[in-house]
Amino acid sequence: MQINMSERPHMCELCGSSFLYASYLNIHMRIHTGEKPYACEVCGSSFSTTSSLNVHMRTHTGEKPFVCAVCGFAFSQSSQLTNHMQTHTGDKPYVCEVCGSAFARKEYLTQHMRTHTGEKPYVCDVCGLKFPRRKDLTIHIRTHTGEKPYNCELCGSAFSTKYQERKHWIACSATFSETSLKAHMQTDIYRCEVCSSVFPSLSRLNIHMRSHTGEKPHSCEVCGAAFALKCHLKVHMRTHTGEKPFACNECGTAFTQKHHLKVHMRTHTGEKPFGCEVCGSSFSQKIQLEIHIRTHTGEKPHICEVCHAAFAQKHHLQLHMRKHTGDTLYQL
């Protein structure tokens, strides 16, 4: 049923939008005035409505009330759950006319088109770096401001992106069993002074410290390779013995590590458990997701020591280095 203008008597003089109640118009006007009267007491971020503030607070409390009935993945906003569900239904009605890529939402297609046009409309006022999406710019700005709005609920460490906090939280929580975690929260925390990682015992912390000191007490008697952990040496020895104890029941391919078999099985099952919270893309391996995230953040951690060119992937840096060394891809 069409609503008559008389049913929306409160009109915005700037853009012509009309509202049923004066209070709705007052809230709408903040779009034009930029007023954000509701501030977060934790990090100071401000918002135009109380509902927006309430949603934001979930980044601090970790509350995720919207749960996917298919896979159990939880979200802090209902819109995130709606978008996530399309990863299960496969509904992607928006198709790129250039390369044929399909997307679940129109804004994803708009963002994708910038990979063809090269458009980067969001510019950093500090360093001039440009980004194709506003969210990417927001994350980048934190490299200048030092803002770290995402806190680990286990140890209090702060991070500039939700992805970094989530990655740390998984590593942190994996250190403990479900029962020992509750006990741990009431006891002393063995925290690394270098990276703030936490451990359930002093011995585990001492082993972890080898990642910072470079200590590798376990050496291979065949080739001399050294390792921080005895279990790593055990796995390494299989490169000499040829032992591959973990075999795929589907195709018979064998692997030296159980984890490699687990990843391989996804080529048969099609499982992609690592989902991007930004655009909904999913991946079969964690490292693939980590590399993908850099397309959103603009992060390029692999830097050429000769000309300082930066790359998102180590492989791309290795290819680039051939320009300096003169190496060719294939040796005749």
Side-chain angles (χ1 to χ4, degrees), residues 130-146:
K130 298 180 180 180
F131 299 88
R133 305 185 320 150
R134 184 185 297 277
K135 186 178 182 67
D136 299 337
L137 174 60
T138 300
I139 293 174
H140 165 77
I141 287 292
R142 293 171 187 155
T143 64
H144 299 300
T145 63

Side-chain angles (χ1 to χ4, degrees), residues 62-132:
E63 180 188 6
K64 294 183 176 181
F66 304 99
V67 181
C68 174
V70 179
C71 66
F73 207 80
F75 301 88
S76 60
Q77 300 182 43
S78 60
S79 60
Q80 292 173 337
L81 175 58
T82 301
N83 295 336
H84 165 78
M85 288 305 298
Q86 291 170 329
T87 64
H88 296 301
T89 63
D91 184 23
K92 295 183 178 181
Y94 302 99
V95 181
C96 173
E97 296 181 356
V98 179
C99 66
S101 297
F103 301 89
R105 299 171 62 184
K106 186 176 181 179
E107 56 263 39
Y108 292 164
L109 173 60
T110 300
Q111 294 166 8
H112 165 78
M113 288 305 297
R114 293 171 186 156
T115 64
H116 298 301
T117 64
E119 180 188 7
K120 294 183 178 181
Y122 303 103
V123 184
C124 174
D125 292 334
V126 179
C127 66
L129 201 60
K130 298 180 180 180
F131 299 88

